[in-house]
Amino acid sequence: MARQFRALGHEIVTSAQMAELAVVNTCAVTNEAAADSRGKIRQIARAGVDEIIATGCWATLQPQQANALPGVLRVVTNDRKDHLVSEVLDLPQAAFDLEPIARKPLPGLHRRTRAFIKVQDGCDNHCTFCVTTIARGEGRSRSVAQVILDIQSALDGGTKEIVLTGVHLGSWGQDFGMHLRDLIKAILRETVAPRLRLSSLEPWDLDADFFSLWADQRLMPHLHLPLQSGCESTLRRMARKTSPQSFCELVSAARAIMPDVAITTDIIAGFPGETDDEFAESLEFVKEMNFAGGHVFTYSPRPGTGAAKMRGQIKPELRKKRNHILHDVLEESAKSYRQKFLGQTMSVLWESVSEMGEWGWQMEGLTGNYLRVNAFAPSPRWNEIDSVNLSEADSDKIKGIIINQGQVSLR
Ligand code: SF4
């Protein structure tokens, strides 16, 4: 959307105070996310923007509430989202379809060095906690040609890392008899993207053979596999198409090919009917998996979902308590994962630069396996990839020393 606005002569600014119009892409994945979305709209209105366009999942599910918020000029539901800019500016969609628009980085302190390329939308599953399927509809994939065109324009704009995203990324191609592996092979073959990363993948969409793709060093060794619960019966109530055993086999298969792969996850704390025993089973499994990190979501009933109607809703205090316990376990395993790499030299893509100080420019970036690294450089290295020796753990980051500017032989 920013690219389209910019292509038509508008300027993308860094703060609400400087904006005349704001587009807020709302989220409905949890009650908290929906409240944050409303809070963001109010905050932007307070900053003086009186032309706010609300879009995304929460605005689609609650259009009247969204319209009633201060400053909201109109609501664009998800089915119209691809045409948002043309509708807001009252221009025919054809104005945007003529040629790809270069993906220049957006302004701001933390400018994006990664381009998030949406390859599919919607989902055909019905996980009982998930409101996304209701808000986004059935799964539909973009063609290989469209995706490659989008990646090409991102690379032309200087992007070094491509991240493939989708509501249910692993289902890409099912609507025309292809598999995500076919898309990845095509991207590796037809583009020169230095780094390719995959966002969240549902475990049941993958098999052991999938990981052979990582023989190509441009594919980043990071897999985000949402587990949601490590207890078999809870997973059944969630209608997840996986079990602790099959999840464990998949993780072992990935680690057999990439011993140092970062495997991160999402867990829901306090799903309806989760007994103390079920929680203990889940917690034990999460410990065994030695995740490189993850997010814990406190369960919140979303209207219209199966789980909201289930008996045995867990008291909010207990949900929160379980969240903290899971969070601490994931923090601990993330810490030991980071420790394994101290002393090693890895490639880092610098994604932010702060003011120059006594030691030079303070850089921050990510390794291929998603370790956050800080280092000093004599000149700004934003959007460059360097070889960095990881010298010291520093809370959830690692301090590094740049060894070779621009010379990278490792992932
Ligand atoms: S697979 Fe993901 S998007 Fe689809 S219903 Fe389940 S949680 Fe929601």
Side-chain angles (χ1 to χ4, degrees):
M1 286 181 213
R3 284 189 296 144
Q4 292 184 340
F5 276 117
R6 183 149 53 189
L8 291 160
H10 295 268
E11 195 189 337
I12 307 299
V13 293
T14 51
S15 69
Q17 280 78 8
M18 296 157 76
E20 285 161 10
L21 179 141
V23 177
V24 182
N25 195 10
T26 63
C27 180
V29 71
T30 57
N31 280 334
E32 213 179 353
D36 285 350
S37 299
R38 290 190 291 273
K40 183 56 91 180
I41 291 176
R42 288 198 188 93
Q43 188 191 337
I44 291 170
R46 274 198 304 278
V49 183
D50 53 9
E51 290 184 38
I52 300 175
I53 315 297
T55 186
C57 290
W58 178 74
T60 299
L61 294 168
Q62 305 286 350
Q64 283 168 347
Q65 276 192 41
N67 241 326
L69 288 173
V72 173
L73 199 63
R74 74 163 91 176
V75 170
V76 178
T77 50
N78 280 342
D79 57 331
R80 304 291 312 152
K81 199 167 155 184
D82 288 348
H83 305 283
L84 184 145
V85 181
S86 62
E87 284 191 10
V88 168
L89 300 179
D90 206 12
L91 290 167
Q93 181 64 19
F96 306 100
D97 293 342
L98 295 175
E99 54 183 298
I101 306 158
R103 280 182 174 255
K104 292 205 194 83
L106 298 176
L109 204 56
H110 292 269
R111 293 183 292 171
R112 280 267 160 83
T113 55
R114 285 173 278 164
F116 292 80
I117 307 287
K118 183 165 120 182
V119 305
Q120 75 78 241
D121 202 352
C123 177
D124 295 338
N125 286 295
H126 297 282
C127 299
T128 54
F129 54 82
C130 183
V131 75
T132 315
T133 21
I134 303 169
R136 300 283 188 109
E138 287 172 1
R140 60 241 169 241
S141 311
R142 296 179 68 215
S143 71
V144 177
Q146 284 174 324
V147 172
I148 299 240
L149 199 67
D150 223 6
I151 292 178
Q152 206 48 61
S153 74
L155 295 173
D156 292 347
T159 297
K160 296 276 169 59
E161 184 171 304
I162 301 295
V163 186
L164 303 187
T165 69
V167 167
H168 182 180
L169 174 62
S171 73
W172 180 89
Q174 273 172 15
D175 34 351
F176 38 73
M178 291 178 86
H179 188 270
L180 181 63
R181 73 164 62 75
D182 303 315
L183 178 65
I184 296 171
K185 280 184 189 162
I187 295 170
L188 292 170
R189 191 176 57 238
E190 292 175 33
T191 76
V192 293
R195 281 178 160 210
L196 178 62
R197 196 183 289 283
L198 308 181
S199 62
S200 187
L201 293 166
E202 295 297 355
W204 59 84
D205 291 318
L206 315 178
D207 55 24
D209 177 56
F210 184 69
F211 305 117
S212 60
L213 288 168
W214 271 260
D216 191 313
Q217 299 276 311
R218 293 184 297 155
L219 203 47
M220 295 296 100
H222 174 207
L223 295 165
H224 185 78
L225 308 174
L227 173 65
Q228 310 301 10
S229 168
C231 165
E232 181 140 21
S233 39
T234 313
L235 283 172
R236 270 202 301 273
R237 287 199 304 285
M238 290 176 165
R240 302 282 291 167
K241 296 178 179 168
T242 187
S243 66
Q245 193 189 334
S246 55
F247 189 92
C248 179
E249 284 166 9
L250 190 73
V251 166
S252 305
R255 286 180 175 152
I257 291 190
M258 297 173 276
D260 287 337
V261 62
I263 298 182
T264 52
T265 198
D266 295 328
I267 317 268
I268 295 173
F271 186 76
E274 188 184 59
T275 61
D276 286 348
D277 285 350
E278 286 191 357
F279 176 66
E281 190 182 325
S282 180
L283 186 66
E284 200 46 44
F285 186 77
V286 172
K287 285 182 188 163
E288 273 169 37
M289 285 300 97
N290 282 322
F291 288 111
H295 296 288
V296 186
F297 295 92
T298 303
Y299 173 76
S300 60
R302 312 302 295 121
T305 59
K309 295 184 224 105
M310 282 181 188
R311 281 186 300 188
Q313 301 284 327
I314 307 292
K315 286 199 178 106
E317 312 84 74
L318 187 55
R319 289 183 214 164
K320 275 201 190 116
K321 190 174 160 205
R322 289 180 179 168
N323 181 325
H324 289 146
I325 297 170
L326 284 160
H327 177 264
D328 288 352
V329 166
L330 284 173
E331 280 275 285
E332 203 47 45
S333 63
K335 195 169 153 198
S336 35
Y337 179 77
R338 284 194 294 272
Q339 294 282 344
K340 286 206 294 190
F341 298 92
L342 294 183
Q344 293 195 24
T345 299
M346 304 183 84
S347 74
V348 175
L349 171 59
W350 302 115
E351 58 175 32
S352 71
V353 186
S354 356
E355 292 298 300
M356 190 171 144
E358 196 185 342
W359 303 95
W361 296 84
Q362 167 98 49
M363 319 291 306
E364 186 168 315
L366 290 166
T367 61
N369 59 346
Y370 223 65
L371 299 174
R372 196 159 279 284
V373 177
N374 278 330
F376 289 106
S379 58
R381 302 284 300 153
W382 179 79
N383 203 28
E384 300 290 345
I385 302 177
D386 292 329
S387 284
V388 179
N389 185 266
L390 310 189
S391 53
E392 202 184 316
D394 180 13
S395 67
D396 60 345
K397 295 174 191 160
I398 294 179
K399 280 188 191 162
I401 297 163
I402 299 176
I403 303 288
N404 268 324
Q405 285 199 347
Q407 289 179 27
V408 177
S409 54
L410 299 144
R411 235 196 297 234

